Amino acid sequence: LVGDDYIDTRDERWAMGDEAWYGAASEFVERTLGDGRGKWCLVIGSPMPEAKLLWQYHWYIMYVDVRTPPHSDFPFEFRKRDATDMRKSIRDNSMDAVSSTCVVCHAGLGRYGDPVKPNGDVLMMREIFRVLKPGGLAAIMLGPATPQMTQSVVYGNVHRIYEPDEAHAMCRDVGFEVVE
């Protein structure tokens, strides 16, 4: 809720084009994951151009989102799932890499029709860590992180905005080594 109004954004465009944020995210993913010839990458809720970029780099893609894509012209596997609980569809230590852009900051807020879970961001990060093979790579952009903030905040059902040290602590607490 924002004020007294519910914001329903489930019908937003999936492909965001090459806007500054998503263009930078694609560059980060490309730099972090690179060529995936013969390997599996779980892509969680990212814009379709990011998943297609990884596919062009020869990754086998499993795409997970709580929303059903409005089209099916992508050459990879899709599973409609809540990223805070993927145990029924993705085995432990089964993915070579995970990519997700600006999804953790929405997990569990109900904005996209997902179940409301106040700690959805932590639950999603635990699931990412669970499905990654030992030594696997994760290119995760948590969403906004603002150094000027003294603590992380949740803006209704819309967004979490992270204080960077708290974001890094969340990642480390679930087992990740934060590299960049």
Side-chain angles (χ1 to χ4, degrees):
L1 288 173
V2 175
D4 294 327
D5 300 319
Y6 178 77
I7 297 175
D8 184 354
T9 55
R10 287 175 285 177
D11 295 325
E12 286 182 299
R13 293 177 298 141
W14 279 52
M16 301 301 288
D18 195 25
E19 298 172 12
W21 172 260
Y22 293 102
S26 289
E27 289 174 14
F28 173 71
V29 167
E30 183 177 14
R31 185 176 71 248
T32 304
L33 302 182
D35 185 43
R37 201 166 304 274
K39 297 179 182 178
W40 277 95
C41 183
L42 173 63
V43 179
I44 304 173
S46 295
M48 283 295 162
E50 182 177 311
K52 288 179 180 179
L53 172 72
L54 288 165
W55 180 75
Q56 290 170 349
Y57 273 88
H58 309 288
W59 287 93
Y60 297 120
I61 304 294
M62 179 184 296
Y63 191 90
V64 170
D65 201 310
V66 294
R67 303 168 291 172
T68 302
H71 50 77
S72 60
D73 66 341
F74 45 80
F76 36 85
E77 185 176 340
F78 169 73
R79 295 191 184 175
K80 186 173 182 176
R81 298 293 307 161
D82 171 8
T84 66
D85 184 5
M86 299 180 287
R87 289 173 293 188
K88 292 181 181 176
S89 61
I90 305 174
R91 293 184 329 270
D92 294 2
N93 306 315
S94 60
M95 294 290 155
D96 298 290
V98 175
S99 177
S100 187
T101 296
C102 198
V103 178
V104 173
C105 57
H106 300 293
L109 296 180
R111 178 180 181 180
Y112 294 105
D114 53 316
V116 175
K117 299 176 184 177
N119 64 338
D121 53 350
V122 174
L123 294 173
M124 181 177 166
M125 292 300 291
R126 284 182 186 155
E127 282 293 279
I128 292 169
F129 190 80
R130 180 188 67 76
V131 303
L132 270 175
K133 290 179 180 178
L137 296 173
I140 310 297
M141 293 184 75
L142 299 178
T146 307
Q148 296 84 356
M149 297 180 68
T150 58
Q151 66 181 22
S152 298
V153 297
V154 179
Y155 181 66
N157 76 318
V158 178
H159 227 291
R160 289 180 185 86
I161 302 172
Y162 295 99
E163 187 278 325
D165 290 337
E166 288 182 27
H168 288 143
M170 174 180 60
C171 294
R172 286 189 304 271
D173 289 349
V174 301
F176 285 107
E177 175 187 351
V178 177
V179 177
E180 182 179 349

